[in-house]
Amino acid sequence: MLNFDRKKAFSKILIAGSIINLVLSFILVPLYKHIGSAASVLITETFITVTMFIYLQKNGLKIIGENKNV
């Protein structure tokens, strides 16, 4: 996203991911210890990846398939 000059959206997605990770960590780590920590990171990274993919697709930057903007 940084290569496509989408710095503001990139930052917002990462901040949202950070908040999600903190909330999930406070909930899952006391219950499941190291498994809860791993699950929190996995869920957060999945959220970030999917959100960035959807953002880029909606803004005409096709990651998979034909890209007419390059």
Side-chain angles (χ1 to χ4, degrees):
M1 289 182 62
L2 296 175
N3 292 335
F4 297 115
D5 198 32
R6 306 281 199 236
K7 295 174 188 169
K8 190 172 183 178
F10 180 78
S11 294
K12 286 182 180 181
I13 292 169
L14 287 185
I15 290 169
S18 300
I19 292 168
I20 290 169
N21 191 30
L22 283 172
V23 170
L24 287 174
S25 291
F26 280 116
I27 295 169
L28 296 177
V29 171
L31 295 173
Y32 302 109
K33 311 293 185 234
H34 60 284
I35 303 296
S37 179
S40 175
V41 171
L42 178 65
I43 293 167
T44 301
E45 291 298 330
T46 302
F47 166 78
I48 290 171
T49 302
V50 169
T51 306
M52 286 185 181
F53 179 78
I54 291 170
Y55 174 85
L56 290 173
Q57 292 288 29
K58 285 186 176 182
N59 287 286
L61 297 167
K62 303 270 187 221
I63 301 300
I64 299 174
E66 186 178 338
N67 190 353
K68 296 179 181 178
N69 292 334
V70 177

Coordinates of all heavy atoms in Angstrom, one line a residue:
M1 N 0.8 -1.2 0.0 CA 0.0 0.0 0.0 C 0.9 1.3 0.0 O 0.5 2.3 -0.6 CB -0.9 0.0 1.2 CG -2.0 -1.0 1.1 SD -3.2 -1.0 2.4 CE -3.9 0.6 2.3
L2 N 2.0 1.2 0.6 CA 2.9 2.3 0.7 C 3.4 2.7 -0.7 O 3.6 3.8 -1.1 CB 4.0 2.1 1.6 CG 3.6 2.0 3.1 CD1 4.9 1.6 3.9 CD2 2.9 3.2 3.6
N3 N 3.6 1.6 -1.5 CA 4.1 1.8 -2.9 C 3.1 2.5 -3.8 O 3.4 3.2 -4.8 CB 4.5 0.5 -3.6 CG 5.7 -0.1 -2.9 OD1 6.5 0.6 -2.4 ND2 5.8 -1.4 -3.0
F4 N 1.8 2.4 -3.4 CA 0.7 3.0 -4.2 C 0.3 4.3 -3.5 O -0.8 4.9 -3.9 CB -0.5 2.1 -4.3 CG -0.2 0.8 -5.0 CD1 -0.2 -0.4 -4.4 CD2 0.1 0.8 -6.4 CE1 0.1 -1.6 -5.1 CE2 0.4 -0.3 -7.1 CZ 0.4 -1.5 -6.4
D5 N 1.1 4.9 -2.6 CA 0.8 6.1 -2.0 C -0.5 6.1 -1.2 O -1.3 7.0 -1.3 CB 0.9 7.3 -2.9 CG 1.0 8.6 -2.2 OD1 1.7 8.7 -1.2 OD2 0.5 9.6 -2.7
R6 N -0.7 5.1 -0.5 CA -2.0 4.9 0.4 C -1.5 4.9 1.8 O -2.0 4.0 2.6 CB -2.7 3.6 0.0 CG -3.0 3.5 -1.4 CD -4.3 4.3 -1.8 NE -4.8 3.8 -3.0 CZ -5.0 4.5 -4.1 NH1 -4.7 5.8 -4.1 NH2 -5.5 4.0 -5.2
K7 N -0.7 5.9 2.2 CA -0.2 5.9 3.6 C -1.2 6.1 4.7 O -1.2 5.4 5.7 CB 0.9 7.0 3.7 CG 2.1 6.8 2.8 CD 3.0 8.0 2.8 CE 4.1 7.7 1.8 NZ 4.9 8.9 1.5
K8 N -2.2 6.9 4.4 CA -3.2 7.2 5.4 C -4.1 6.0 5.7 O -4.3 5.6 6.9 CB -4.1 8.4 5.0 CG -5.0 8.9 6.0 CD -5.7 10.1 5.5 CE -6.6 10.7 6.6 NZ -7.3 11.9 6.2
A9 N -4.5 5.3 4.6 CA -5.3 4.1 4.8 C -4.5 3.0 5.5 O -5.0 2.2 6.3 CB -5.9 3.6 3.5
F10 N -3.2 2.9 5.1 CA -2.3 1.9 5.6 C -2.2 2.1 7.2 O -2.3 1.1 7.9 CB -0.9 2.0 5.0 CG 0.1 1.1 5.5 CD1 0.1 -0.2 5.0 CD2 1.1 1.5 6.3 CE1 1.1 -1.1 5.5 CE2 2.1 0.6 6.8 CZ 2.1 -0.7 6.4
S11 N -2.0 3.3 7.6 CA -1.9 3.6 9.0 C -3.2 3.3 9.8 O -3.1 2.7 10.9 CB -1.5 5.1 9.2 OG -0.3 5.4 8.7
K12 N -4.3 3.6 9.2 CA -5.6 3.4 9.8 C -5.8 1.9 10.0 O -6.3 1.4 11.1 CB -6.8 4.0 9.0 CG -6.9 5.5 9.1 CD -8.0 6.0 8.4 CE -8.1 7.5 8.5 NZ -9.3 8.0 7.7
I13 N -5.5 1.1 9.0 CA -5.7 -0.3 9.1 C -4.7 -0.9 10.2 O -5.1 -1.8 11.0 CB -5.4 -1.0 7.7 CG1 -6.5 -0.6 6.8 CG2 -5.4 -2.5 7.9 CD1 -6.3 -1.0 5.3
L14 N -3.5 -0.5 10.2 CA -2.6 -1.0 11.2 C -3.0 -0.6 12.6 O -2.8 -1.3 13.6 CB -1.1 -0.5 10.9 CG -0.4 -1.2 9.8 CD1 1.0 -0.7 9.7 CD2 -0.5 -2.7 9.9
I15 N -3.5 0.6 12.8 CA -4.0 1.1 14.1 C -5.1 0.2 14.6 O -5.2 -0.2 15.7 CB -4.3 2.6 14.1 CG1 -3.0 3.4 14.0 CG2 -5.1 3.0 15.4 CD1 -3.2 4.9 13.7
A16 N -6.1 0.0 13.6 CA -7.2 -0.9 14.0 C -6.7 -2.3 14.4 O -7.2 -2.9 15.3 CB -8.2 -0.9 12.8
G17 N -5.8 -2.8 13.6 CA -5.2 -4.1 13.9 C -4.6 -4.1 15.3 O -4.7 -5.1 16.1
S18 N -3.9 -3.1 15.7 CA -3.2 -3.0 17.0 C -4.3 -3.0 18.1 O -4.1 -3.7 19.1 CB -2.4 -1.7 17.1 OG -1.4 -1.7 16.1
I19 N -5.3 -2.3 17.9 CA -6.4 -2.2 18.9 C -7.0 -3.6 19.1 O -7.3 -4.1 20.2 CB -7.4 -1.2 18.6 CG1 -6.8 0.2 18.7 CG2 -8.7 -1.3 19.5 CD1 -7.6 1.4 18.1
I20 N -7.3 -4.3 17.9 CA -7.9 -5.6 18.0 C -7.0 -6.6 18.7 O -7.4 -7.4 19.5 CB -8.2 -6.1 16.5 CG1 -9.4 -5.3 15.9 CG2 -8.5 -7.6 16.5 CD1 -9.6 -5.5 14.5
N21 N -5.7 -6.5 18.4 CA -4.7 -7.4 19.1 C -4.7 -7.2 20.6 O -4.6 -8.1 21.3 CB -3.3 -7.2 18.5 CG -2.3 -8.2 18.9 OD1 -2.7 -9.4 19.2 ND2 -1.1 -7.9 19.0
L22 N -4.7 -5.9 21.0 CA -4.7 -5.6 22.4 C -5.9 -6.2 23.1 O -5.8 -6.8 24.2 CB -4.6 -4.1 22.7 CG -3.2 -3.5 22.5 CD1 -3.3 -2.0 22.6 CD2 -2.3 -4.0 23.6
V23 N -7.1 -6.0 22.5 CA -8.3 -6.4 23.1 C -8.3 -8.0 23.2 O -8.7 -8.6 24.2 CB -9.6 -5.9 22.3 CG1 -10.8 -6.6 22.8 CG2 -9.7 -4.4 22.5
L24 N -8.0 -8.6 22.1 CA -8.0 -10.1 22.0 C -6.9 -10.6 23.0 O -7.2 -11.7 23.7 CB -7.7 -10.6 20.6 CG -8.8 -10.4 19.6 CD1 -8.3 -10.8 18.2 CD2 -10.0 -11.2 20.0
S25 N -5.8 -10.0 23.1 CA -4.8 -10.4 24.1 C -5.3 -10.4 25.5 O -5.0 -11.3 26.3 CB -3.5 -9.6 23.9 OG -2.9 -9.9 22.7
F26 N -5.9 -9.3 25.9 CA -6.4 -9.2 27.2 C -7.5 -10.3 27.5 O -7.7 -10.7 28.7 CB -7.0 -7.8 27.5 CG -6.0 -6.8 27.8 CD1 -5.8 -5.7 27.0 CD2 -5.2 -6.9 29.0 CE1 -4.8 -4.8 27.3 CE2 -4.2 -6.0 29.3 CZ -4.0 -4.9 28.4
I27 N -8.2 -10.7 26.5 CA -9.3 -11.7 26.7 C -8.7 -13.1 26.6 O -9.0 -13.9 27.5 CB -10.4 -11.5 25.6 CG1 -11.1 -10.2 25.9 CG2 -11.4 -12.7 25.7 CD1 -12.0 -9.8 24.7
L28 N -7.9 -13.4 25.6 CA -7.5 -14.8 25.3 C -6.2 -15.2 26.1 O -6.2 -16.4 26.5 CB -7.2 -14.9 23.8 CG -8.4 -14.7 22.9 CD1 -7.9 -14.9 21.4 CD2 -9.5 -15.8 23.2
V29 N -5.3 -14.4 26.4 CA -4.1 -14.8 27.1 C -4.4 -15.3 28.5 O -3.8 -16.4 28.9 CB -3.0 -13.7 27.1 CG1 -1.8 -14.1 27.9 CG2 -2.5 -13.5 25.6
P30 N -5.2 -14.6 29.3 CA -5.4 -15.2 30.6 C -6.1 -16.5 30.6 O -5.9 -17.4 31.5 CB -6.3 -14.1 31.3 CG -6.0 -12.9 30.6 CD -5.7 -13.3 29.2
L31 N -6.9 -16.8 29.6 CA -7.7 -18.0 29.5 C -6.9 -19.2 28.9 O -6.9 -20.3 29.4 CB -8.9 -17.8 28.6 CG -10.0 -16.8 29.1 CD1 -11.1 -16.6 28.1 CD2 -10.6 -17.4 30.4
Y32 N -6.1 -18.9 27.8 CA -5.4 -19.9 27.1 C -3.9 -19.8 27.0 O -3.2 -20.5 26.3 CB -6.0 -20.0 25.7 CG -7.4 -20.2 25.6 CD1 -8.3 -19.2 25.2 CD2 -8.0 -21.4 25.9 CE1 -9.7 -19.4 25.2 CE2 -9.4 -21.6 25.9 CZ -10.2 -20.6 25.5 OH -11.5 -20.8 25.5
K33 N -3.3 -18.9 27.8 CA -1.9 -18.7 27.9 C -1.2 -18.5 26.5 O -1.7 -17.6 25.7 CB -1.2 -19.8 28.6 CG -1.9 -20.2 29.9 CD -1.7 -19.1 30.9 CE -2.3 -19.6 32.3 NZ -3.2 -18.7 32.8
H34 N -0.2 -19.3 26.1 CA 0.5 -19.1 24.9 C -0.4 -19.4 23.7 O -0.2 -18.8 22.6 CB 1.8 -20.0 24.9 CG 1.5 -21.4 25.0 ND1 1.1 -22.0 26.2 CD2 1.5 -22.4 24.1 CE1 1.0 -23.3 26.0 NE2 1.2 -23.6 24.8
I35 N -1.3 -20.3 23.8 CA -2.3 -20.5 22.7 C -3.1 -19.3 22.4 O -3.4 -18.9 21.3 CB -3.1 -21.8 23.0 CG1 -2.3 -23.0 23.3 CG2 -4.1 -22.0 21.8 CD1 -1.5 -23.5 22.1
G36 N -3.6 -18.6 23.4 CA -4.3 -17.4 23.3 C -3.5 -16.3 22.6 O -4.1 -15.5 21.8
S37 N -2.3 -16.2 23.0 CA -1.4 -15.2 22.4 C -1.2 -15.5 20.9 O -1.3 -14.6 20.0 CB 0.0 -15.2 23.0 OG 0.8 -14.3 22.5
A38 N -1.0 -16.7 20.5 CA -0.9 -17.1 19.1 C -2.2 -16.9 18.4 O -2.1 -16.4 17.2 CB -0.5 -18.6 19.0
A39 N -3.3 -17.2 19.0 CA -4.6 -17.0 18.3 C -4.8 -15.5 18.1 O -5.4 -15.1 17.0 CB -5.7 -17.6 19.1
S40 N -4.5 -14.7 19.1 CA -4.7 -13.2 18.9 C -3.9 -12.7 17.8 O -4.4 -11.9 17.0 CB -4.2 -12.6 20.3 OG -4.3 -11.2 20.1
V41 N -2.6 -13.1 17.6 CA -1.8 -12.6 16.5 C -2.3 -13.1 15.2 O -2.4 -12.4 14.2 CB -0.3 -13.1 16.8 CG1 0.5 -12.8 15.5 CG2 0.3 -12.4 18.0
L42 N -2.7 -14.4 15.2 CA -3.3 -15.0 13.9 C -4.5 -14.2 13.5 O -4.6 -13.8 12.3 CB -3.6 -16.4 14.1 CG -4.2 -17.1 12.9 CD1 -3.2 -17.2 11.7 CD2 -4.6 -18.5 13.2
I43 N -5.4 -14.0 14.4 CA -6.7 -13.2 14.0 C -6.3 -11.8 13.6 O -6.9 -11.3 12.6 CB -7.6 -13.2 15.2 CG1 -8.1 -14.7 15.5 CG2 -8.8 -12.3 15.0 CD1 -8.8 -14.8 16.8
T44 N -5.4 -11.2 14.3 CA -5.1 -9.8 13.9 C -4.4 -9.7 12.5 O -4.8 -8.9 11.7 CB -4.1 -9.2 15.0 OG1 -4.8 -9.2 16.2 CG2 -3.7 -7.8 14.6
E45 N -3.5 -10.6 12.3 CA -2.8 -10.6 11.0 C -3.7 -10.9 9.8 O -3.6 -10.4 8.7 CB -1.6 -11.5 11.0 CG -0.4 -11.0 11.9 CD 0.1 -9.7 11.4 OE1 0.1 -9.4 10.2 OE2 0.6 -9.0 12.3
T46 N -4.7 -11.8 10.1 CA -5.7 -12.2 9.1 C -6.6 -10.9 8.8 O -6.9 -10.6 7.7 CB -6.5 -13.4 9.6 OG1 -5.7 -14.5 9.8 CG2 -7.6 -13.7 8.5
F47 N -7.0 -10.3 9.9 CA -7.8 -9.0 9.7 C -7.0 -8.0 8.9 O -7.6 -7.4 7.9 CB -8.1 -8.4 11.1 CG -8.6 -7.0 11.0 CD1 -9.9 -6.8 10.7 CD2 -7.8 -6.0 11.3 CE1 -10.4 -5.5 10.6 CE2 -8.2 -4.7 11.2 CZ -9.6 -4.4 10.9
I48 N -5.8 -7.8 9.2 CA -5.0 -6.8 8.5 C -4.8 -7.1 7.0 O -5.0 -6.3 6.1 CB -3.6 -6.6 9.1 CG1 -3.8 -5.9 10.5 CG2 -2.7 -5.8 8.2 CD1 -2.5 -5.8 11.3
T49 N -4.5 -8.4 6.7 CA -4.3 -8.8 5.3 C -5.6 -8.7 4.5 O -5.6 -8.2 3.4 CB -3.8 -10.3 5.3 OG1 -2.6 -10.3 6.0 CG2 -3.6 -10.8 3.9
V50 N -6.7 -9.2 5.1 CA -8.0 -9.2 4.4 C -8.5 -7.7 4.2 O -8.9 -7.3 3.1 CB -9.1 -10.0 5.1 CG1 -10.5 -9.8 4.6 CG2 -8.7 -11.5 5.1
T51 N -8.3 -6.9 5.2 CA -8.7 -5.5 5.1 C -7.9 -4.7 4.0 O -8.5 -4.0 3.2 CB -8.6 -4.8 6.5 OG1 -9.3 -5.5 7.4 CG2 -9.1 -3.4 6.4
M52 N -6.6 -4.9 4.0 CA -5.8 -4.3 3.0 C -6.2 -4.8 1.6 O -6.3 -4.0 0.6 CB -4.3 -4.5 3.2 CG -3.8 -3.7 4.4 SD -2.0 -4.0 4.5 CE -1.7 -2.9 5.9
F53 N -6.4 -6.1 1.4 CA -6.8 -6.7 0.2 C -8.1 -6.0 -0.3 O -8.2 -5.6 -1.5 CB -6.9 -8.2 0.3 CG -7.4 -8.8 -1.0 CD1 -6.5 -9.0 -2.0 CD2 -8.7 -9.3 -1.2 CE1 -6.8 -9.6 -3.2 CE2 -9.1 -9.9 -2.3 CZ -8.2 -10.1 -3.4
I54 N -9.1 -6.0 0.5 CA -10.4 -5.4 0.2 C -10.3 -3.9 -0.2 O -10.8 -3.5 -1.2 CB -11.4 -5.6 1.3 CG1 -11.8 -7.1 1.5 CG2 -12.7 -4.8 1.1 CD1 -12.6 -7.4 2.7
Y55 N -9.5 -3.2 0.6 CA -9.3 -1.8 0.3 C -8.7 -1.6 -1.1 O -9.1 -0.7 -1.8 CB -8.4 -1.1 1.4 CG -8.0 0.3 1.1 CD1 -8.9 1.3 1.4 CD2 -6.8 0.6 0.4 CE1 -8.6 2.6 1.1 CE2 -6.5 1.9 0.0 CZ -7.4 2.9 0.4 OH -7.1 4.2 0.0
L56 N -7.7 -2.3 -1.4 CA -7.0 -2.2 -2.7 C -7.9 -2.6 -3.8 O -7.9 -1.9 -4.9 CB -5.7 -3.0 -2.7 CG -4.6 -2.4 -1.8 CD1 -3.4 -3.4 -1.7 CD2 -4.1 -1.1 -2.2
Q57 N -8.7 -3.6 -3.6 CA -9.6 -4.1 -4.7 C -10.7 -3.0 -4.9 O -11.0 -2.7 -6.1 CB -10.3 -5.4 -4.3 CG -9.4 -6.6 -4.2 CD -8.9 -7.0 -5.6 OE1 -8.8 -6.3 -6.6 NE2 -8.7 -8.3 -5.7
K58 N -11.2 -2.4 -3.9 CA -12.3 -1.4 -4.0 C -11.7 -0.1 -4.6 O -12.5 0.7 -5.2 CB -12.9 -1.1 -2.7 CG -13.9 -2.1 -2.2 CD -14.6 -1.7 -0.9 CE -15.6 -2.8 -0.5 NZ -16.3 -2.4 0.7
N59 N -10.5 0.1 -4.5 CA -9.9 1.3 -5.1 C -9.2 1.1 -6.4 O -8.3 1.9 -6.8 CB -8.9 2.0 -4.1 CG -9.7 2.6 -2.9 OD1 -10.3 3.7 -3.1 ND2 -9.7 1.9 -1.8
G60 N -9.5 0.0 -7.1 CA -9.0 -0.2 -8.4 C -7.6 -0.8 -8.5 O -7.1 -0.8 -9.6
L61 N -7.0 -1.2 -7.4 CA -5.7 -1.7 -7.5 C -5.7 -3.2 -7.3 O -5.7 -3.8 -6.2 CB -4.8 -1.1 -6.4 CG -4.6 0.4 -6.6 CD1 -4.0 1.0 -5.3 CD2 -3.7 0.7 -7.7
K62 N -5.9 -4.0 -8.4 CA -6.1 -5.4 -8.4 C -4.7 -6.1 -8.0 O -3.7 -5.9 -8.7 CB -6.5 -5.9 -9.8 CG -7.8 -5.3 -10.2 CD -9.0 -6.0 -9.8 CE -10.2 -5.5 -10.4 NZ -11.3 -5.4 -9.5
I63 N -4.7 -6.8 -6.9 CA -3.6 -7.6 -6.5 C -3.5 -8.9 -7.2 O -2.4 -9.4 -7.6 CB -3.6 -7.8 -5.0 CG1 -3.7 -6.4 -4.2 CG2 -2.4 -8.6 -4.5 CD1 -2.5 -5.5 -4.5
I64 N -4.7 -9.5 -7.4 CA -4.7 -10.8 -8.1 C -5.5 -10.5 -9.4 O -6.5 -10.0 -9.5 CB -5.5 -11.8 -7.3 CG1 -4.8 -12.1 -6.0 CG2 -5.7 -13.1 -8.0 CD1 -5.5 -12.9 -5.0
G65 N -4.8 -11.0 -10.5 CA -5.5 -10.8 -11.8 C -4.9 -9.6 -12.6 O -3.8 -9.1 -12.3
E66 N -5.6 -9.1 -13.5 CA -5.2 -8.1 -14.4 C -5.2 -6.7 -13.7 O -6.2 -6.3 -13.1 CB -6.1 -8.0 -15.6 CG -5.6 -7.0 -16.7 CD -6.5 -7.0 -17.9 OE1 -7.1 -8.0 -18.1 OE2 -6.5 -6.0 -18.6
N67 N -4.1 -6.0 -13.8 CA -4.1 -4.6 -13.2 C -3.8 -3.6 -14.3 O -2.8 -3.6 -14.9 CB -2.9 -4.6 -12.1 CG -3.0 -3.3 -11.3 OD1 -3.8 -2.4 -11.6 ND2 -2.2 -3.2 -10.3
K68 N -4.8 -2.8 -14.5 CA -4.7 -1.8 -15.6 C -4.0 -0.5 -15.2 O -3.8 0.4 -16.0 CB -6.1 -1.5 -16.1 CG -6.8 -2.7 -16.7 CD -8.2 -2.4 -17.2 CE -8.8 -3.7 -17.8 NZ -10.1 -3.5 -18.2
N69 N -3.7 -0.4 -13.9 CA -3.1 0.9 -13.4 C -1.6 0.9 -13.4 O -1.0 1.9 -13.1 CB -3.6 1.1 -11.9 CG -5.1 1.5 -11.9 OD1 -5.7 1.9 -12.8 ND2 -5.7 1.2 -10.7
V70 N -1.0 -0.2 -13.8 CA 0.4 -0.3 -13.8 C 1.0 0.2 -15.1 O 0.5 0.0 -16.1 CB 0.9 -1.7 -13.4 CG1 2.4 -1.8 -13.5 CG2 0.4 -2.1 -12.0

